[in-house]
Amino acid sequence: KAGVTQTPRYLIKTRGQQVTLSCSPISGHRSVSWYQQTPGQGLQFLFEYFSETQRNKGNFPGRFSGRQFSNSRSEMNVSTLELGDSALYLCASSSAGARSYNEQFFGPGTRLTVL
Amino acid sequence: KNQVEQSPQSLIILEGKNCTLQCNYTVSPFSNLRWYKQDTGRGPVSLTIMTFSENTKSNGRYTATLDADTKQSSLHITASQLSDSASYICVVSAGTNFGNEKLTFGTGTRLTIIP
């Protein structure tokens, strides 16, 4: 069974630009969660999508948005990039939900650098 | 406020030695506690998941313990190997019903194994 895949793996953008990251969950998984990881803050929850609906949301500004398609693939968009958005963005899939006992499987992440 | 604190922040040990990582949490109502291993540049991989009723769980050379009374968990690594060099993240889930649980992440312990 293929794991969680994320594209692209690395991305360099400049301030003010926008970016879209993609995540393909494990086949059969309906829940996709997004996280931001920085050295100082650790892993922080962005949002979770389940069956094309945003089910949970973390404490991030509206510049961060996402969506999920009918095949469970998910995209995350960040508009008006700031230097502080430089981070590793991780996607995780689960058969149930991010906030349940079911195990989450993480992708390799997308390393975003904002110059 | 839900919090997860891990100690030490970093640890260096010789190959073959044992070590113990600590996780203290103030999360309520407690649902489950997870330990993840994250290699540099990769997404976290689940090691163990423990609910309130479980006080120990093993995964190969990794053994996690949970004391729900003192709200402490530990991850013990036996006979360390160079491949154990990674960050270890403690994650605590709070909530009582499916869909309303909240994950709180620790900032991790960076473990380095030297030959």
Side-chain angles (χ1 to χ4, degrees), chain B residues 8-9 13 21 23 33-34 48 54 58 61 69 83 86 95:
Chain B
Q9 271 192 318
I13 63 171
L21 313 180
C23 173
L33 184 145
R34 315 167 187 206
T48 62
E54 298 171 299
S58 292
R61 295 179 296 102
D69 291 331
S83 60

Side-chain angles (χ1 to χ4, degrees), chain A residues 9-10 35 37 39-45 50 55-56 59 88 90 96-109 111, chain B residues 31-32 34 36 38 41-47 49-51 54 57 87 89 91 93-94 97-103 105-107:
Chain A
R9 292 294 311 279
Y10 303 91
Y35 298 87
Q37 187 176 36
Q41 298 292 324
L43 271 161
Q44 292 186 285
F45 174 70
F50 185 82
R55 188 164 65 173
N56 291 298
N59 298 321
L88 180 67
L90 291 161
R99 300 181 176 187
S100 74
Y101 185 75
N102 291 67
E103 185 176 358
Q104 283 189 289
F105 296 85
F106 284 84
R111 172 72 63 186
Chain B
S31 175
N32 60 78
R34 315 167 187 206
Y36 285 90
Q38 185 175 22
R42 298 195 169 192
V45 174
S46 177
L47 293 175
I49 302 176
M50 289 185 291
T51 60
E54 298 171 299
K57 185 166 275 190
S87 288
I89 303 170
V91 184
S93 177
N97 299 310
F98 172 78
N100 79 343
E101 293 182 84
K102 180 183 168 89
L103 295 178
F105 291 82
T107 54

